[in-house]
Amino acid sequence: MIKKFFKSVIPETTLRRMVYYTRCLNSFKNEGVKLIQSEDIAKKCGVKSSVVRKDLSYFGEFGVRGKGYHVESLLSTINGITNTFGKMNAALIGVGKLGSAIIKHSTENFNVKIIAAFDKDRKKVNKEIGETKVYPIEEIESIIKKYKIKIAIIAIPPSDVQKIVDILVNAGIKAILSLALIPLNVPDDVEVSFVDVLSEVEFLFYKLSLRRNI
Amino acid sequence: MIKKFFKSVIPETTLRRMVYYTRCLNSFKNEGVKLIQSEDIAKKCGVKSSVVRKDLSYFGEFGVRGKGYHVESLLSTINGITNTFGKMNAALIGVGKLGSAIIKHSTENFNVKIIAAFDKDRKKVNKEIGETKVYPIEEIESIIKKYKIKIAIIAIPPSDVQKIVDILVNAGIKAILSLALIPLNVPDDVEVSFVDVLSEVEFLFYKLSLRRNI
DNA sequence: TAGATTGTTAATCGATTAACAATC
DNA sequence: TAGATTGTTAATCGATTAACAATC
């Protein structure tokens, strides 16, 4: 029987939870845990154990029935599937307060590494923040191509966003994370995603007020 | 016939899009536009017009068939429903790089106002960032109660998060936005939501790698 | 083997979509 | 009235859930 490597489509929601899972698994690994059950992952990540099992099952059969999952091998299987072995290089556009906070976070924390930052302010250019060098906007294309960067984070004022997006797409960027909640024009093969703290707060306000009214 | 004020449950996704819509509507208002169609809102927000109409219909019938929606009255109706007339006061815990970036954003941009910030660092306490005063951690409870703040943003290291969450819940906070992707223990009546830039980047990496493999 | 936990199924729930009747 | 756009419907799609057969 021929077995496909993956189920044909993996749900967005599953992919999002994979980020949780790898974090949990890494934390288990650091604690020296060798074998875990779906229930353990579930508790640590705040989801249900059936969700964990279903999510993992999209990628293959990793568990041992009656026993659980081997932390180490599960981790490396996930890394293998996603082609990411801790080396997720991204670019950052806009080295303001928010931008430099993100660089700082990335040095302290996890898998993502900001390997190049860009700013239009001449005073910031050629400086280094942590290990990240700041280049002028004009060099976006050459640097992105040179380092084969596929993902960019945009932390600039809304008015400048689309202009930069065009440059990025042209340079070969395949996914953009924007920190301003304005729609972007990109080709179909470029992923776009938004993260905006204040919008999320507004959403929470809506949720609370409606709760009172029903 | 008795008409309920709202449909009994409003979908999460609708509520999230309401944030977009109010922004679009405000921008139309500032351009002096009086009357708009669902199609206009849709284009500006990057969704489909049927989605806009369905979303708005959860709250009532605001449009005029054959004509469209009155920008001004639609905006104030939405504000009325959510009890928010531009006055969304929130607290912020942790005045590091990320925290102060958020304060700066809130002064420049939209509806949310950070009316109190907290930090354990004595050197930051009693300073002001923009119009936001920084209080010591010990005063969380008194200040939150004094200003009746219902929503808090947490921008502190993961290890301190749960401790602060307990204090916040105790002080009467009803919604928490955490900037660290670790699960929080809260009572059922407290909303929790997460925003984490680097997790989102990881998610995008997963998405891209899988795209290549299928 | 008996006990335990996985991987999968089928039912349920929720969100999206397009088409169109209602109506300004 | 004719033209236009809303508000609603019903079908489709996608995600969650709990239960359990498979199997270590």
Side-chain angles (χ1 to χ4, degrees):
Chain A
M1 189 184 73
I2 295 172
K3 220 175 182 182
K4 268 209 289 189
F5 199 40
F6 306 129
K7 301 266 166 63
S8 58
V9 175
I10 292 162
E12 289 255 336
T13 45
T14 294
L15 239 35
R16 278 223 148 71
R17 283 190 295 261
M18 292 310 285
V19 178
Y20 281 56
Y21 299 159
T22 46
R23 256 166 230 201
C24 290
L25 288 169
N26 272 312
S27 137
F28 278 124
K29 187 180 156 190
N30 292 337
E31 290 166 18
V33 180
K34 299 290 178 205
L35 191 74
I36 43 158
Q37 283 79 54
S38 57
E39 188 60 41
D40 301 326
I41 305 179
K43 273 214 188 99
K44 191 137 188 164
C45 297
V47 300
K48 303 195 172 179
S49 66
S50 58
V51 172
V52 173
R53 292 198 300 279
K54 192 163 213 322
D55 283 342
L56 293 178
S57 78
Y58 284 108
F59 298 92
E61 303 191 8
F62 306 141
V64 183
R65 289 171 197 230
K67 294 278 184 290
Y69 302 86
H70 287 280
V71 176
E72 196 107 14
S73 79
L74 183 52
L75 257 178
S76 60
T77 314
I78 294 174
N79 282 334
I81 288 165
T82 57
N83 287 321
T84 55
F85 291 94
K87 51 153 196 45
M88 305 193 194
N89 294 335
L92 173 76
I93 325 292
V95 188
K97 266 183 189 291
L98 190 53
S100 48
I102 290 167
I103 294 177
K104 189 177 153 237
H105 255 226
S106 78
T107 56
E108 288 169 359
N109 292 344
F110 303 104
N111 309 312
V112 177
K113 196 177 172 194
I114 312 289
I115 58 165
F118 300 88
D119 205 287
K120 67 176 176 185
D121 185 350
R122 292 274 149 209
K123 277 172 278 174
K124 288 175 183 163
V125 163
N126 288 325
K127 298 250 165 76
E128 284 191 11
I129 303 179
E131 295 176 3
T132 306
K133 196 174 165 194
V134 181
Y135 300 92
I137 291 288
E138 294 74 31
E139 289 182 32
I140 288 183
E141 184 155 352
S142 64
I143 298 288
I144 295 230
K145 282 183 173 161
K146 180 174 169 192
Y147 293 109
K148 297 185 170 49
I149 303 169
K150 292 300 168 209
I151 298 192
I153 305 165
I154 303 187
I156 58 178
S159 54
D160 301 341
V161 168
Q162 186 59 51
K163 204 168 48 190
I164 294 293
V165 165
D166 294 339
I167 297 173
L168 290 170
V169 168
N170 214 41
I173 283 291
K174 290 301 171 196
I176 294 171
L177 173 57
S178 171
L179 304 184
L181 194 62
I182 59 164
L184 308 183
N185 277 315
V186 295
D188 281 347
D189 68 332
V190 174
E191 303 285 342
V192 172
S193 139
F194 299 92
V195 161
D196 183 33
V197 172
L198 297 183
S199 300
E200 193 69 20
V201 173
E202 284 185 54
F203 163 70
L204 287 171
F205 265 101
Y206 287 2
K207 221 169 159 183
L208 287 189
S209 355
L210 288 173
R211 196 157 72 176
R212 281 197 290 276
N213 288 336
I214 288 171
Chain B
M1 187 184 71
I2 295 173
K3 222 177 181 183
K4 267 209 290 188
F5 199 41
F6 308 128
K7 300 268 164 63
S8 58
V9 175
I10 291 163
E12 289 254 337
T13 45
T14 295
L15 238 36
R16 279 223 146 72
R17 283 190 294 263
M18 293 309 285
V19 178
Y20 281 56
Y21 299 158
T22 45
R23 259 169 228 201
C24 291
L25 288 169
N26 272 312
S27 140
F28 278 123
K29 187 180 157 191
N30 291 338
E31 290 167 18
V33 180
K34 300 289 180 206
L35 190 74
I36 43 159
Q37 282 80 52
S38 57
E39 188 61 40
D40 301 326
I41 305 180
K43 274 215 188 98
K44 190 136 188 165
C45 297
V47 300
K48 302 195 173 180
S49 65
S50 58
V51 172
V52 173
R53 292 198 300 278
K54 192 162 213 323
D55 284 341
L56 293 178
S57 78
Y58 284 109
F59 298 92
E61 304 190 9
F62 305 140
V64 183
R65 290 170 197 229
K67 293 279 184 287
Y69 302 87
H70 287 279
V71 175
E72 196 107 15
S73 80
L74 182 51
L75 256 177
S76 63
T77 315
I78 293 173
N79 283 333
I81 288 165
T82 57
N83 286 321
T84 54
F85 291 93
K87 50 152 198 42
M88 307 194 194
N89 294 334
L92 173 76
I93 325 293
V95 188
K97 267 183 188 291
L98 190 53
S100 47
I102 291 167
I103 294 178
K104 191 179 151 234
H105 254 227
S106 79
T107 55
E108 287 170 0
N109 292 342
F110 302 104
N111 309 314
V112 176
K113 195 176 171 194
I114 314 290
I115 58 166
F118 301 88
D119 204 287
K120 68 177 175 187
D121 183 350
R122 290 276 150 210
K123 276 172 280 172
K124 288 175 183 163
V125 162
N126 287 326
K127 298 250 165 71
E128 284 190 13
I129 302 178
E131 294 176 4
T132 306
K133 194 173 168 195
V134 181
Y135 300 92
I137 290 289
E138 294 74 31
E139 290 181 32
I140 288 182
E141 184 153 355
S142 64
I143 298 288
I144 294 228
K145 282 184 172 158
K146 181 175 168 192
Y147 293 108
K148 297 184 172 45
I149 303 171
K150 294 298 169 210
I151 298 192
I153 305 165
I154 303 187
I156 58 177
S159 54
D160 299 342
V161 167
Q162 185 60 51
K163 204 169 46 191
I164 294 293
V165 166
D166 294 340
I167 297 173
L168 289 170
V169 168
N170 214 41
I173 284 290
K174 290 301 172 197
I176 294 171
L177 172 56
S178 170
L179 304 184
L181 193 62
I182 59 165
L184 309 183
N185 277 315
V186 296
D188 281 347
D189 69 332
V190 175
E191 304 285 343
V192 172
S193 136
F194 299 93
V195 162
D196 182 32
V197 172
L198 297 182
S199 299
E200 193 69 19
V201 173
E202 285 186 55
F203 162 70
L204 287 172
F205 266 101
Y206 288 0
K207 222 168 162 184
L208 286 189
S209 352
L210 288 173
R211 194 157 74 176
R212 281 198 289 277
N213 288 336
I214 286 170

